[in-house]
Amino acid sequence: MRIGMPLNYSGGFKETVDELVDYEKAGLDIVYVPEAYSFDAVSQLGFIAARTERLEIASGILQVYTRTPTLTAMTAAGVDFVSDGRFTLGIGASGPQVIEGFHGLPYKAPLGRTRELVEICRKVWRREKLAHEGKHYNIPLPAEEGTGLGKPLKLVNHPVRERIPIMIAAIGPKNVAMTAEIAEAWEPIFYVPEKAAEVWGDSLAEGRAKRDATLPELDTVVQAPLAIGEDLDELLDSMRPMLALYIGGMGAKGQNFYNNLARRYGYEAEAERIQDLYLDGKKDEAAAAVPRELLTKTSLIGPESHVRERIAAFRESGVTTLNVTPLAGSAAERTALIERVRHLADEA
């Protein structure tokens, strides 16, 4: 099981990267750089590549709507080049709140666009003369839609790898099936290992049945906050606002993927109450309504025996990369947490 970490640079980006050097020595395998609607991820990935030696780096995630497929392929090839082949291209559709609200683009056909983007990226990395005729992308642009001067081109540089790993963030049934079919890695959110087979088992099986034999086994990347010790209820409760934001505030009634996921986990009444409270502006009450069981099962917060049990549950459900957020007040304490979870994962 690999140990990863999402980059949280709220305390300062350069300071966080300084810590990454110590995390790398402590056994961290991969770091995921978010984008959302903050700083772009790509400039930061290049900086991290220059500051680290062994650590794998990944975008977590680049939205499929905000760059053309060819630019996404060029960007991935460039980051893979400066990192000497340590890059994973994490992509996802995000949601209409971000895509339409921040980027001003229509949120249409996320699955179809993702599938075509993956196909185009792999053609670019193989340095084929790029010709793609799809429902969402036509390359070169047809003559009747432009000047008529476009012609198939291939990437000038030779990529370090012609198959850069692709990770897709997915939670919906169809999206998960597509991910299991075409991607090297899958990133769900709010992952409850005891419910994973029930919620996603059929979709994963459907995708794997169509999976290209040349692809490796699907890497399942799961996030979990990490703190090891006694009497950590306060830290566990500190996760409530984030869960409430996603379950209650990411979208509208009937248009919230994360709320739907909570319902599929069996928290129908709780998900509805969280959303009602959050959309009414009662964010603290929404956070208080997040089920404690959901907090406990999606985290690695508690005594070492509990954390060891949760790691075993994640592994048994098929998790291959555990993406932890070490919760501690100092860099030294966070480094120690990385060392401990590395040790516990190796034991499991």
Side-chain angles (χ1 to χ4, degrees):
M1 181 180 283
R2 292 193 304 175
I3 300 299
M5 188 187 79
L7 191 75
N8 183 343
Y9 50 89
S10 58
F13 173 69
K14 291 183 179 178
E15 292 81 0
T16 300
V17 175
D18 286 340
E19 291 185 27
L20 272 181
V21 177
D22 292 330
Y23 298 158
E24 182 178 34
K25 295 174 183 176
L28 190 69
D29 296 303
I30 186 167
V31 62
Y32 297 84
V33 180
E35 191 164 71
Y37 43 100
S38 183
F39 293 145
D40 80 289
V42 178
S43 58
Q44 299 173 75
L45 286 161
F47 186 87
I48 293 169
R51 293 292 309 278
T52 56
E53 297 177 358
R54 177 191 59 81
L55 191 67
E56 295 180 54
I57 56 178
S59 53
I61 59 170
L62 302 186
Q63 298 128 350
V64 299
Y65 292 91
T66 55
R67 297 171 176 85
T68 65
T70 41
L71 178 58
T72 300
M74 292 163 61
T75 299
V79 179
D80 204 46
F81 172 71
V82 298
S83 66
D84 296 321
R86 290 184 282 142
F87 180 60
T88 291
L89 174 62
I91 57 174
S94 186
Q97 193 171 39
V98 173
I99 301 305
E100 296 184 359
F102 192 66
H103 295 285
L105 299 169
Y107 190 82
K108 294 180 179 178
L111 272 68
R113 288 179 181 275
T114 301
R115 183 180 287 274
E116 289 189 36
L117 183 146
V118 170
E119 182 180 339
I120 292 166
C121 280
R122 288 175 175 157
K123 287 181 178 179
V124 170
W125 298 333
R126 292 194 298 264
R127 299 190 70 245
E128 298 177 8
K129 284 191 174 181
L130 184 58
H132 177 86
E133 186 175 343
K135 185 175 181 180
H136 307 288
Y137 302 104
N138 284 298
I139 306 170
L141 191 69
E144 64 272 16
E145 295 182 29
T147 64
L149 299 176
K151 61 180 182 179
L153 300 171
K154 67 179 179 181
L155 191 69
V156 173
N157 304 83
H158 289 259
V160 174
R161 296 178 288 176
E162 70 170 29
R163 178 61 72 84
I164 296 169
I166 293 175
M167 176 185 76
I168 300 177
I171 55 175
K174 292 181 180 179
N175 202 0
V176 171
M178 179 193 67
T179 299
E181 177 188 348
I182 68 173
E184 279 85 357
W186 167 48
E187 183 187 33
I189 194 170
F190 307 145
Y191 183 93
V192 177
E194 290 84 356
K195 293 282 187 177
E198 177 184 338
V199 172
W200 289 304
D202 289 345
S203 296
L204 290 169
E206 177 186 339
R208 283 175 170 140
K210 303 175 185 176
R211 189 173 180 83
D212 191 321
T214 63
L215 284 170
E217 286 295 316
L218 187 69
D219 178 23
T220 299
V221 181
V222 168
Q223 297 188 33
L226 169 69
I228 302 174
E230 304 293 334
D231 302 321
L232 296 180
D233 286 353
E234 188 174 338
L235 269 183
L236 188 65
D237 285 335
S238 71
M239 298 296 105
R240 290 181 178 278
M242 184 185 70
L243 280 161
L245 167 64
Y246 277 81
I247 296 171
M250 285 291 192
K253 283 278 191 179
Q255 293 291 326
N256 183 321
F257 309 131
Y258 313 102
N259 189 279
N260 292 341
L261 177 58
R263 292 171 183 270
R264 291 168 68 200
Y265 277 150
Y267 302 111
E268 293 92 348
E270 295 90 338
E272 183 170 1
R273 175 168 169 74
I274 292 166
Q275 187 174 57
D276 287 344
L277 289 167
Y278 205 97
L279 295 180
D280 282 344
K282 301 174 182 177
K283 296 181 181 180
D284 290 343
E285 292 180 47
V290 173
R292 183 176 181 81
E293 181 185 58
L294 183 59
L295 290 167
T296 302
K297 290 187 178 297
T298 56
S299 72
L300 293 170
I301 298 176
E304 185 171 297
S305 58
H306 170 77
V307 173
R308 183 182 287 108
E309 289 172 4
R310 296 312 299 155
I311 290 173
F314 282 120
R315 185 192 294 277
E316 186 176 347
S317 74
V319 173
T320 47
T321 298
L322 198 53
N323 200 12
V324 301
T325 300
L327 304 176
S330 70
E333 290 172 313
R334 288 187 287 271
T335 301
L337 278 173
I338 295 291
E339 288 178 333
R340 290 180 73 184
V341 77
R342 171 77 275 164
H343 177 71
L344 292 173
D346 288 343
E347 281 186 339

